Amino acid sequence: MDRITWPRLRDDLASTRRGAAAFLQNLDAAHTTSSTEWFIRWIEIGDAHGILGNAKRREGKIDEAAMAWLCALTAFEVAKRLTTETAVQGEDASVKIASAIKTFGSLEQKIECVQIECYDQSEIQAHYLPADSCSKAPAIICISAEDETATTLLGRLLPAAAHRGMSVLAVTYDDISGNRRGQSNETLSCCLDYLSTRPDIDATRIGVYGDGIASALATDLAVSDSRVAAAVCDGGLWNWARTRAAVEWVTGVSEAQNEEVIAARRLRLIRRLRCPVLVMAGGRGVVSISEAIRLQNACAAAKMDLQLGIPRTTITDVGEVENFVISDDRIFRWLEQKLLLGSAV
């Protein structure tokens, strides 16, 4: 372990997340230490933060208690990344995360469970985290990846979203997606309706963030609903890739068009988006890095507001581990600047 040391308990959220990011960044240097050992250490760190949070709560220091539990969530999320999907440790980490979210949500009711009525009279359940400010704040609709529960999504996003002056509405992919064409757009538009009617939300500053395959749903919403002010999405590349694959399958030949023609088609798709866009390529996303770079170059030439983020990953004995801390902080920093500050990243 020449370039990595055992992670330490840190007494504030920024330090905890910097430590977690540094650990994940240098995970390839930890080959002499098993993922199980790292898992145990990060669970211990999360538990220590939880003990501190409970102590602060008993002292009536609610803000400090909330900070400690956000640190615990970051530590437990790191631990979860160090297990396989079928490992018992992964289930243990998920239980820890669920318990930490419940405790954090009990602190002055920071997390609300809300029911959103859809146009077909059905309802979906969502989790709402209000902004720190009492004035009208921007809001973000966050859609989980296909294999994520609301608890999994919240456990990862709460520490990244906290104290940024923005509200968060978390929904799951399964609740949003449907077999009927256009149903996901309708359901997400209902989420926009809900946020727009809340007195604590500025209806002109609502963004959407889709994780994993949900990034395509975020694109569709931004295209279909002009109320979206910023989108973290796939920029239309997922549907673009599927369309190209379908054409090649039907014709039996690979598409042999020149790059100028292909670039023009990409731009036609992205021009339908009338808001700033951040495309996350690679990692847990569904977007090809090479296609995203081509799209970014085309948008730069056309003076369109599209930026590209590429998550950092490390290969370990449990597979590819993404540095979620850097990725999530990048996403929420971009959303904060687009929706709250109105400046370029």
Side-chain angles (χ1 to χ4, degrees), residues 188-253:
L188 287 170
S189 287
C190 292
C191 293
L192 275 165
D193 293 343
Y194 169 79
L195 290 173
S196 298
T197 59
R198 286 190 65 107
D200 58 334
I201 294 299
D202 181 348
T204 67
R205 295 186 293 167
I206 299 177
V208 61
Y209 161 40
D211 193 23
I213 198 170
S215 61
L217 300 184
T219 297
D220 290 344
L221 177 66
V223 167
S224 65
D225 200 315
S226 60
R227 292 176 293 175
V228 176
V232 181
C233 60
D234 74 340
L237 290 177
W238 177 242
N239 286 333
W240 160 252
R242 289 194 300 176
T243 298
R244 290 190 66 185
V247 169
E248 291 176 5
W249 182 81
V250 170
T251 61
V253 295

Side-chain angles (χ1 to χ4, degrees), residues 20 45 94 114 315:
I45 291 174
S94 296
V114 299
I315 302 298

